[in-house]
Amino acid sequence: MSFTKADHEFMGRAFQLARRGLFNTDPNPRVGCVLVKDNKTAGEGWHQRAGEPHAEINALHDAGKAQARGATAYVTLEPCCHQGKTPPCVEALIEAGVSRVVAAMQDPNPQVAGQGLQALADAGIQVDSGLLQSQAESLNPGFVKRMRYGRPYVRSKLAMSVDGRTALASGESKWITSSAARADVQRLRARSSAIMTGVGTVLADDPSLTVRMEGVDNNPLRVVLDTHLSLPADAKMLGLPGRTLVMTGKDSESSKEELQKAGAEVVTVATRNNSVDPVAVLDYLGQIEMNEVLLEMGATLSGAMLREGLIDEFVIYMAPTLMGHEARPLFRLPGVETMDKKIELEIDDVRAIGRDWRITAKVK
């Protein structure tokens, strides 16, 4: 299909709308929709919150019946054709009498997977798909990965000095980066379904792992990997808004009961090498509809996740400071002793955040 300049412009607007739902649609995807009639915008909408109307419904309401009839709908994801918490969008588009639907990508959800587009075509509506598909996938990396592979998208957040150190030898690390970088981290947290850490980090720092961002009232699920159930019942995060899930390999009813009384949820998963198996952890998080998981953990667990090939993306904040060779590294990676064992990254983006630099990268 050859798309016009106008097609690109209207779909670009649909992406702008979809991003307004960046922090609120979980476990649903972020979706935007623009209705166009006579080459002018007739209505706009985006999915604002899970359980509420989808983008297409909001755009149809914005346009009104007269303007919707005969319009082209630009939508960042294939319209749904199944009954979920809301009615199918395909039926609403057909009933509204739109003449054309342009979708950025097919919905990877097996309940849809092209069936929505086919239903529209069967109703006599012109259907075109694949416009700006790579942008559509990057908007919802977690939803796409979970639907295709059953696991969430894993993003590792790291803060380091120029010489690649995350904390002094004593463990002191507050603060390596600037307030601007720390505010940027809050946006990463706000878009995540879950924040994962290890019990060692909790014992050392007693973190909150909450979102501190104006206008955002949701907190991601806090996930603590705790093989031997050593998380104290008075850990700060257990008294804060939001859920805390402790994933353990130990079947100790007394320890579980103590943590559950303190507000934690406790799940036992498989272990490997005397530690909670990170593969089992991600499989479980996929089952409970976690789309994007943010890792905020120490060098040992981060290194284990990296060695397993479980990290999809790195977001590294680099501060203009030096901490010396005795300070702690980003990752513990035993076995990288020759250059042929090094792990190469592909850098997707580098930009200044205050006085720091933010590097976004993937394993090559």
Side-chain angles (χ1 to χ4, degrees):
M1 171 65 194
S2 178
F3 293 104
T4 67
K5 180 181 177 182
D7 288 334
H8 281 83
E9 289 176 350
F10 289 122
M11 186 63 79
R13 175 58 181 167
F15 277 113
Q16 289 180 341
L17 295 168
R19 292 186 188 98
R20 295 183 182 179
L22 189 65
F23 306 136
N24 301 312
T25 65
D26 234 41
N28 295 345
R30 302 129 184 163
V31 182
C33 179
V34 176
L35 291 174
V36 176
K37 191 169 186 179
D38 299 327
N39 211 34
K40 295 180 180 179
T41 298
E44 296 185 334
W46 69 95
H47 185 35
Q48 298 179 21
R49 193 175 294 273
E52 295 183 4
H54 289 185
E56 299 92 324
I57 305 304
N58 288 330
L60 289 170
H61 286 166
D62 186 46
K65 290 183 179 180
Q67 285 294 96
R69 183 159 299 278
T72 294
Y74 294 87
V75 60
T76 58
L77 185 70
E78 174 185 5
C80 63
C81 57
H82 66 289
Q83 176 72 48
K85 292 182 179 179
T86 58
C89 293
V90 162
E91 292 182 6
L93 290 167
I94 293 171
E95 185 178 342
V98 301
S99 61
R100 182 188 180 209
V101 172
V102 182
M105 65 176 288
Q106 282 193 12
D107 190 334
N109 185 342
Q111 293 181 293
V112 186
Q115 297 176 67
L117 297 178
Q118 186 60 55
L120 292 167
D122 291 345
I125 296 171
Q126 180 184 339
V127 173
D128 300 309
S129 179
L131 174 60
L132 302 178
Q133 179 165 327
S134 61
Q135 289 92 321
E137 297 205 9
S138 65
L139 177 66
N140 292 296
F143 178 80
V144 171
K145 186 178 179 185
R146 180 168 65 84
M147 288 298 165
R148 289 177 177 168
Y149 305 110
R151 290 183 189 162
Y153 186 89
V154 178
R155 183 179 286 114
S156 177
K157 186 275 293 181
L158 301 151
M160 71 175 191
S161 59
V162 169
D163 50 351
R165 301 293 165 166
T166 64
L168 298 176
S170 65
E172 183 182 353
S173 62
K174 294 183 179 179
W175 295 104
I176 295 172
T177 55
S178 66
S179 59
R182 297 196 298 275
D184 197 63
V185 170
Q186 295 303 315
R187 287 186 280 274
L188 280 182
R189 286 184 177 183
R191 70 171 291 168
S192 300
S193 312
I195 304 173
M196 186 190 298
T197 192
V199 71
T201 298
V202 179
L203 293 173
D205 300 335
D206 199 17
S208 300
L209 300 184
T210 54
V211 175
R212 297 179 294 277
M213 186 173 161
E214 188 176 348
V216 177
D217 56 6
N218 61 304
N219 281 293
L221 175 70
R222 296 180 288 268
V223 180
V224 181
L225 305 190
D226 185 5
T227 304
H228 304 293
L229 280 183
S230 52
L231 180 72
D234 62 354
K236 185 194 301 181
M237 65 176 62
L238 297 181
L240 296 173
R243 298 164 55 202
T244 298
L245 173 65
V246 179
M247 306 201 73
T248 184
K250 182 179 181 180
D251 266 325
S252 170
E253 290 305 319
S254 60
S255 298
K256 281 185 182 180
E257 186 177 348
E258 184 180 8
L259 285 172
Q260 287 168 341
K261 284 181 178 178
E265 302 168 37
V266 183
V267 173
T268 303
V269 294
T271 59
R272 182 153 44 96
N273 300 325
N274 201 36
S275 297
V276 169
D277 184 352
V279 173
V281 168
L282 292 180
D283 285 343
Y284 180 83
L285 294 179
Q287 291 167 17
I288 62 171
E289 299 187 314
M290 297 291 107
N291 287 338
E292 298 180 24
V293 172
L294 183 65
L295 304 185
E296 297 197 25
M297 51 182 51
T300 300
L301 267 177
S302 293
M305 298 284 287
L306 177 55
R307 289 195 304 274
E308 292 276 356
L310 300 176
I311 298 176
D312 296 294
E313 179 179 289
F314 302 92
V315 181
I316 304 169
Y317 296 89
M318 185 174 69
T321 186
L322 300 170
M323 297 176 67
H325 71 283
E326 293 184 351
R328 299 183 182 184
L330 284 177
F331 300 98
R332 282 184 56 83
L333 292 172
V336 182
E337 298 169 352
T338 56
M339 289 299 286
D340 63 316
K341 298 290 180 65
K342 69 181 184 295
I343 298 171
E344 294 192 12
L345 302 181
E346 287 186 348
I347 295 177
D348 290 338
D349 182 74
V350 179
R351 67 183 61 202
I353 305 290
R355 67 181 182 90
D356 306 308
W357 289 93
R358 187 185 70 195
I359 304 166
T360 306
K362 295 180 175 68
V363 174
K364 191 171 182 180

